[in-house]
């Protein structure tokens, strides 16, 4: 029962996120042989004040 955690900056449309979840599920199923219905994809979207690089806040980008 694979769990896939994806963290990315906010800014994608629901359609983009859904396509990504389907694509990731397909690849994991193909590579591991796990049935698609047993694969969980968890997406955490980070906002402006949740990611810093080099000591500076990073602006969300697609």
């Amino acid at each position: 029962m694979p769990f896939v955690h994806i963290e990315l900056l906010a800014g994608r449309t629901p359609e983009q996120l859904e396509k990504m979840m389907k694509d990731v599920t397909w690849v994991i199923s193909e590579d591991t042989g796990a049935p698609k219905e047993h694969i969980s994809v968890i997406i955490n979207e980070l906002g402006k004040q949740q990611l810093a690089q080099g000591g500076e806040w990073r602006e969300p980008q697609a």
Side-chain angles (χ1 to χ4, degrees), residues 26-48:
W26 183 85
V27 168
I28 296 297
S29 179
E30 286 292 310
D31 289 353
T32 67
K36 291 177 187 169
E37 60 272 11
H38 292 174
I39 299 169
S40 297
V41 178
I42 301 160
I43 296 177
N44 294 316
E45 293 187 284
L46 303 172
K48 181 179 178 179

PDB file of all heavy atoms in Angstrom, residues 26-48:
ATOM      1  N   TRP A  26      -0.393   6.263 -11.605  1.00  0.00           N
ATOM      2  CA  TRP A  26      -0.114   5.349 -12.707  1.00  0.00           C
ATOM      3  C   TRP A  26       1.338   4.868 -12.668  1.00  0.00           C
ATOM      4  O   TRP A  26       1.607   3.670 -12.794  1.00  0.00           O
ATOM      5  CB  TRP A  26      -0.427   6.026 -14.046  1.00  0.00           C
ATOM      6  CG  TRP A  26      -0.219   5.099 -15.203  1.00  0.00           C
ATOM      7  CD1 TRP A  26      -1.116   4.193 -15.703  1.00  0.00           C
ATOM      8  CD2 TRP A  26       0.967   4.962 -15.985  1.00  0.00           C
ATOM      9  NE1 TRP A  26      -0.563   3.509 -16.752  1.00  0.00           N
ATOM     10  CE2 TRP A  26       0.726   3.952 -16.942  1.00  0.00           C
ATOM     11  CE3 TRP A  26       2.204   5.586 -15.975  1.00  0.00           C
ATOM     12  CZ2 TRP A  26       1.681   3.568 -17.874  1.00  0.00           C
ATOM     13  CZ3 TRP A  26       3.149   5.199 -16.907  1.00  0.00           C
ATOM     14  CH2 TRP A  26       2.882   4.203 -17.839  1.00  0.00           C
ATOM     15  N   VAL A  27       2.280   5.801 -12.472  1.00  0.00           N
ATOM     16  CA  VAL A  27       3.701   5.438 -12.459  1.00  0.00           C
ATOM     17  C   VAL A  27       4.012   4.499 -11.293  1.00  0.00           C
ATOM     18  O   VAL A  27       4.698   3.484 -11.469  1.00  0.00           O
ATOM     19  CB  VAL A  27       4.599   6.700 -12.393  1.00  0.00           C
ATOM     20  CG1 VAL A  27       6.042   6.340 -12.087  1.00  0.00           C
ATOM     21  CG2 VAL A  27       4.508   7.482 -13.686  1.00  0.00           C
ATOM     22  N   ILE A  28       3.514   4.809 -10.117  1.00  0.00           N
ATOM     23  CA  ILE A  28       3.769   3.949  -8.957  1.00  0.00           C
ATOM     24  C   ILE A  28       3.186   2.564  -9.197  1.00  0.00           C
ATOM     25  O   ILE A  28       3.822   1.547  -8.898  1.00  0.00           O
ATOM     26  CB  ILE A  28       3.197   4.572  -7.668  1.00  0.00           C
ATOM     27  CG1 ILE A  28       3.908   5.897  -7.347  1.00  0.00           C
ATOM     28  CG2 ILE A  28       3.299   3.607  -6.494  1.00  0.00           C
ATOM     29  CD1 ILE A  28       5.377   5.777  -7.050  1.00  0.00           C
ATOM     30  N   SER A  29       1.999   2.489  -9.756  1.00  0.00           N
ATOM     31  CA  SER A  29       1.381   1.205 -10.050  1.00  0.00           C
ATOM     32  C   SER A  29       2.216   0.421 -11.063  1.00  0.00           C
ATOM     33  O   SER A  29       2.469  -0.777 -10.878  1.00  0.00           O
ATOM     34  CB  SER A  29      -0.039   1.415 -10.579  1.00  0.00           C
ATOM     35  OG  SER A  29      -0.636   0.172 -10.895  1.00  0.00           O
ATOM     36  N   GLU A  30       2.654   1.091 -12.115  1.00  0.00           N
ATOM     37  CA  GLU A  30       3.463   0.430 -13.142  1.00  0.00           C
ATOM     38  C   GLU A  30       4.794  -0.064 -12.577  1.00  0.00           C
ATOM     39  O   GLU A  30       5.237  -1.165 -12.889  1.00  0.00           O
ATOM     40  CB  GLU A  30       3.733   1.388 -14.307  1.00  0.00           C
ATOM     41  CG  GLU A  30       2.535   1.612 -15.198  1.00  0.00           C
ATOM     42  CD  GLU A  30       2.148   0.373 -15.986  1.00  0.00           C
ATOM     43  OE1 GLU A  30       3.028  -0.236 -16.620  1.00  0.00           O
ATOM     44  OE2 GLU A  30       0.955   0.011 -15.942  1.00  0.00           O
ATOM     45  N   ASP A  31       5.450   0.758 -11.771  1.00  0.00           N
ATOM     46  CA  ASP A  31       6.787   0.423 -11.266  1.00  0.00           C
ATOM     47  C   ASP A  31       6.773  -0.593 -10.130  1.00  0.00           C
ATOM     48  O   ASP A  31       7.748  -1.327  -9.945  1.00  0.00           O
ATOM     49  CB  ASP A  31       7.528   1.688 -10.806  1.00  0.00           C
ATOM     50  CG  ASP A  31       7.943   2.566 -11.978  1.00  0.00           C
ATOM     51  OD1 ASP A  31       7.781   2.137 -13.140  1.00  0.00           O
ATOM     52  OD2 ASP A  31       8.433   3.675 -11.726  1.00  0.00           O
ATOM     53  N   THR A  32       5.705  -0.610  -9.328  1.00  0.00           N
ATOM     54  CA  THR A  32       5.676  -1.494  -8.157  1.00  0.00           C
ATOM     55  C   THR A  32       4.729  -2.671  -8.315  1.00  0.00           C
ATOM     56  O   THR A  32       4.806  -3.623  -7.545  1.00  0.00           O
ATOM     57  CB  THR A  32       5.259  -0.727  -6.886  1.00  0.00           C
ATOM     58  OG1 THR A  32       3.894  -0.323  -7.012  1.00  0.00           O
ATOM     59  CG2 THR A  32       6.166   0.473  -6.638  1.00  0.00           C
ATOM     60  N   GLY A  33       3.803  -2.575  -9.252  1.00  0.00           N
ATOM     61  CA  GLY A  33       2.790  -3.618  -9.396  1.00  0.00           C
ATOM     62  C   GLY A  33       1.640  -3.471  -8.421  1.00  0.00           C
ATOM     63  O   GLY A  33       0.736  -4.305  -8.395  1.00  0.00           O
ATOM     64  N   ALA A  34       1.653  -2.404  -7.618  1.00  0.00           N
ATOM     65  CA  ALA A  34       0.567  -2.177  -6.656  1.00  0.00           C
ATOM     66  C   ALA A  34      -0.699  -1.771  -7.403  1.00  0.00           C
ATOM     67  O   ALA A  34      -0.636  -0.986  -8.353  1.00  0.00           O
ATOM     68  CB  ALA A  34       0.951  -1.071  -5.673  1.00  0.00           C
ATOM     69  N   PRO A  35      -1.852  -2.302  -6.983  1.00  0.00           N
ATOM     70  CA  PRO A  35      -3.102  -1.883  -7.612  1.00  0.00           C
ATOM     71  C   PRO A  35      -3.345  -0.389  -7.372  1.00  0.00           C
ATOM     72  O   PRO A  35      -3.061   0.129  -6.278  1.00  0.00           O
ATOM     73  CB  PRO A  35      -4.165  -2.725  -6.906  1.00  0.00           C
ATOM     74  CG  PRO A  35      -3.419  -3.842  -6.244  1.00  0.00           C
ATOM     75  CD  PRO A  35      -2.054  -3.323  -5.967  1.00  0.00           C
ATOM     76  N   LYS A  36      -3.833   0.300  -8.382  1.00  0.00           N
ATOM     77  CA  LYS A  36      -4.066   1.750  -8.261  1.00  0.00           C
ATOM     78  C   LYS A  36      -4.943   2.109  -7.073  1.00  0.00           C
ATOM     79  O   LYS A  36      -4.725   3.130  -6.414  1.00  0.00           O
ATOM     80  CB  LYS A  36      -4.676   2.290  -9.553  1.00  0.00           C
ATOM     81  CG  LYS A  36      -3.717   2.264 -10.711  1.00  0.00           C
ATOM     82  CD  LYS A  36      -4.371   2.743 -11.993  1.00  0.00           C
ATOM     83  CE  LYS A  36      -3.408   2.539 -13.150  1.00  0.00           C
ATOM     84  NZ  LYS A  36      -4.027   2.720 -14.441  1.00  0.00           N
ATOM     85  N   GLU A  37      -5.936   1.259  -6.776  1.00  0.00           N
ATOM     86  CA  GLU A  37      -6.841   1.573  -5.661  1.00  0.00           C
ATOM     87  C   GLU A  37      -6.160   1.455  -4.291  1.00  0.00           C
ATOM     88  O   GLU A  37      -6.725   1.878  -3.286  1.00  0.00           O
ATOM     89  CB  GLU A  37      -8.093   0.688  -5.716  1.00  0.00           C
ATOM     90  CG  GLU A  37      -7.818  -0.794  -5.643  1.00  0.00           C
ATOM     91  CD  GLU A  37      -7.567  -1.434  -7.004  1.00  0.00           C
ATOM     92  OE1 GLU A  37      -7.404  -0.721  -8.021  1.00  0.00           O
ATOM     93  OE2 GLU A  37      -7.534  -2.671  -7.040  1.00  0.00           O
ATOM     94  N   HIS A  38      -4.932   0.945  -4.250  1.00  0.00           N
ATOM     95  CA  HIS A  38      -4.198   0.846  -2.985  1.00  0.00           C
ATOM     96  C   HIS A  38      -3.144   1.934  -2.836  1.00  0.00           C
ATOM     97  O   HIS A  38      -2.400   1.936  -1.860  1.00  0.00           O
ATOM     98  CB  HIS A  38      -3.528  -0.520  -2.869  1.00  0.00           C
ATOM     99  CG  HIS A  38      -4.503  -1.644  -2.724  1.00  0.00           C
ATOM    100  ND1 HIS A  38      -4.110  -2.949  -2.728  1.00  0.00           N
ATOM    101  CD2 HIS A  38      -5.849  -1.665  -2.569  1.00  0.00           C
ATOM    102  CE1 HIS A  38      -5.169  -3.730  -2.585  1.00  0.00           C
ATOM    103  NE2 HIS A  38      -6.242  -2.963  -2.497  1.00  0.00           N
ATOM    104  N   ILE A  39      -3.062   2.842  -3.792  1.00  0.00           N
ATOM    105  CA  ILE A  39      -2.047   3.898  -3.773  1.00  0.00           C
ATOM    106  C   ILE A  39      -2.674   5.202  -3.298  1.00  0.00           C
ATOM    107  O   ILE A  39      -3.694   5.637  -3.827  1.00  0.00           O
ATOM    108  CB  ILE A  39      -1.430   4.074  -5.176  1.00  0.00           C
ATOM    109  CG1 ILE A  39      -0.753   2.769  -5.612  1.00  0.00           C
ATOM    110  CG2 ILE A  39      -0.447   5.246  -5.191  1.00  0.00           C
ATOM    111  CD1 ILE A  39      -0.356   2.734  -7.064  1.00  0.00           C
ATOM    112  N   SER A  40      -2.054   5.797  -2.302  1.00  0.00           N
ATOM    113  CA  SER A  40      -2.528   7.087  -1.773  1.00  0.00           C
ATOM    114  C   SER A  40      -1.532   8.175  -2.140  1.00  0.00           C
ATOM    115  O   SER A  40      -0.322   8.009  -1.955  1.00  0.00           O
ATOM    116  CB  SER A  40      -2.666   7.033  -0.252  1.00  0.00           C
ATOM    117  OG  SER A  40      -3.632   6.079   0.115  1.00  0.00           O
ATOM    118  N   VAL A  41      -2.040   9.282  -2.675  1.00  0.00           N
ATOM    119  CA  VAL A  41      -1.208  10.437  -3.011  1.00  0.00           C
ATOM    120  C   VAL A  41      -1.665  11.592  -2.125  1.00  0.00           C
ATOM    121  O   VAL A  41      -2.842  11.955  -2.121  1.00  0.00           O
ATOM    122  CB  VAL A  41      -1.336  10.816  -4.504  1.00  0.00           C
ATOM    123  CG1 VAL A  41      -0.493  12.047  -4.816  1.00  0.00           C
ATOM    124  CG2 VAL A  41      -0.922   9.648  -5.388  1.00  0.00           C
ATOM    125  N   ILE A  42      -0.722  12.143  -1.365  1.00  0.00           N
ATOM    126  CA  ILE A  42      -1.021  13.243  -0.446  1.00  0.00           C
ATOM    127  C   ILE A  42      -0.260  14.477  -0.936  1.00  0.00           C
ATOM    128  O   ILE A  42       0.955  14.444  -1.101  1.00  0.00           O
ATOM    129  CB  ILE A  42      -0.583  12.886   0.982  1.00  0.00           C
ATOM    130  CG1 ILE A  42      -1.324  11.615   1.425  1.00  0.00           C
ATOM    131  CG2 ILE A  42      -0.826  14.043   1.938  1.00  0.00           C
ATOM    132  CD1 ILE A  42      -0.674  10.898   2.562  1.00  0.00           C
ATOM    133  N   ILE A  43      -1.010  15.558  -1.182  1.00  0.00           N
ATOM    134  CA  ILE A  43      -0.393  16.793  -1.661  1.00  0.00           C
ATOM    135  C   ILE A  43      -0.503  17.861  -0.577  1.00  0.00           C
ATOM    136  O   ILE A  43      -1.593  18.143  -0.079  1.00  0.00           O
ATOM    137  CB  ILE A  43      -1.070  17.288  -2.955  1.00  0.00           C
ATOM    138  CG1 ILE A  43      -0.861  16.271  -4.076  1.00  0.00           C
ATOM    139  CG2 ILE A  43      -0.518  18.661  -3.355  1.00  0.00           C
ATOM    140  CD1 ILE A  43      -1.548  16.631  -5.366  1.00  0.00           C
ATOM    141  N   ASN A  44       0.627  18.432  -0.220  1.00  0.00           N
ATOM    142  CA  ASN A  44       0.671  19.566   0.701  1.00  0.00           C
ATOM    143  C   ASN A  44       1.132  20.778  -0.085  1.00  0.00           C
ATOM    144  O   ASN A  44       2.221  20.769  -0.663  1.00  0.00           O
ATOM    145  CB  ASN A  44       1.647  19.303   1.854  1.00  0.00           C
ATOM    146  CG  ASN A  44       1.181  18.189   2.742  1.00  0.00           C
ATOM    147  OD1 ASN A  44       0.020  18.107   3.102  1.00  0.00           O
ATOM    148  ND2 ASN A  44       2.089  17.303   3.098  1.00  0.00           N
ATOM    149  N   GLU A  45       0.283  21.799  -0.122  1.00  0.00           N
ATOM    150  CA  GLU A  45       0.643  23.026  -0.821  1.00  0.00           C
ATOM    151  C   GLU A  45       1.190  24.031   0.185  1.00  0.00           C
ATOM    152  O   GLU A  45       0.575  24.305   1.208  1.00  0.00           O
ATOM    153  CB  GLU A  45      -0.565  23.609  -1.540  1.00  0.00           C
ATOM    154  CG  GLU A  45      -1.041  22.737  -2.683  1.00  0.00           C
ATOM    155  CD  GLU A  45      -2.122  23.414  -3.483  1.00  0.00           C
ATOM    156  OE1 GLU A  45      -3.260  23.459  -2.991  1.00  0.00           O
ATOM    157  OE2 GLU A  45      -1.814  23.896  -4.583  1.00  0.00           O
ATOM    158  N   LEU A  46       2.353  24.567  -0.128  1.00  0.00           N
ATOM    159  CA  LEU A  46       3.020  25.526   0.736  1.00  0.00           C
ATOM    160  C   LEU A  46       2.689  26.947   0.300  1.00  0.00           C
ATOM    161  O   LEU A  46       2.716  27.250  -0.887  1.00  0.00           O
ATOM    162  CB  LEU A  46       4.531  25.325   0.678  1.00  0.00           C
ATOM    163  CG  LEU A  46       5.029  23.924   1.042  1.00  0.00           C
ATOM    164  CD1 LEU A  46       6.516  23.811   0.765  1.00  0.00           C
ATOM    165  CD2 LEU A  46       4.727  23.609   2.485  1.00  0.00           C
ATOM    166  N   GLY A  47       2.407  27.779   1.261  1.00  0.00           N
ATOM    167  CA  GLY A  47       2.143  29.188   0.988  1.00  0.00           C
ATOM    168  C   GLY A  47       3.402  30.028   1.116  1.00  0.00           C
ATOM    169  O   GLY A  47       4.486  29.524   1.429  1.00  0.00           O
ATOM    170  N   LYS A  48       3.260  31.307   0.890  1.00  0.00           N
ATOM    171  CA  LYS A  48       4.384  32.256   0.885  1.00  0.00           C
ATOM    172  C   LYS A  48       5.207  32.190   2.169  1.00  0.00           C
ATOM    173  O   LYS A  48       6.423  32.257   2.129  1.00  0.00           O
ATOM    174  CB  LYS A  48       3.845  33.670   0.678  1.00  0.00           C
ATOM    175  CG  LYS A  48       4.903  34.731   0.636  1.00  0.00           C
ATOM    176  CD  LYS A  48       4.298  36.096   0.398  1.00  0.00           C
ATOM    177  CE  LYS A  48       5.361  37.171   0.411  1.00  0.00           C
ATOM    178  NZ  LYS A  48       4.807  38.494   0.161  1.00  0.00           N
TER     179      LYS A  48
END
